[in-house]
Amino acid sequence: FLGGAMRHSGERAEAAVDALAAEFGLSRSSMAEGILDVVNSQMANAIRSVTVSKGTDPRGFALLAFGGARPMHAAFIAT
């Protein structure tokens, strides 16, 4: 991350999701799924802002996802 300036910590990520889950009364899995739903929705909205809102129908285009976790999100966004 950031050219090595930031280290990934699975434990800290789990702790952050656990803290949010506790606030919402959800399990870690349910909270993580909710986070992904929000992220995917925001990515789909970004695509809409440069296509549909400008009069372009994106159904005939291919969605190219690369880098990081984008390919994981692409399957949800494309549906």
Side-chain angles (χ1 to χ4, degrees), residues 2 8 17 21 27 29 40 46-48 54 57 63 65 70-71 75 78:
L2 296 173
H8 178 292
V17 173
S27 68
S29 298
N40 291 337
I47 292 170
R48 279 187 210 95
K54 295 185 180 189
D57 184 353
L63 178 62
R70 287 177 195 90

Side-chain angles (χ1 to χ4, degrees), residues 17-30:
V17 173
D18 287 344
L20 282 172
E23 284 187 46
F24 286 92
L26 299 170
S27 68
R28 178 189 294 166
S29 298
S30 293

Side-chain angles (χ1 to χ4, degrees), residues 31-55:
M31 189 72 232
E33 187 173 343
I35 291 168
L36 287 174
D37 286 345
V38 170
V39 169
N40 291 337
S41 177
Q42 291 298 311
M43 288 183 187
N45 286 338
I47 292 170
R48 279 187 210 95
S49 75
V50 297
T51 58
V52 176
S53 69
K54 295 185 180 189

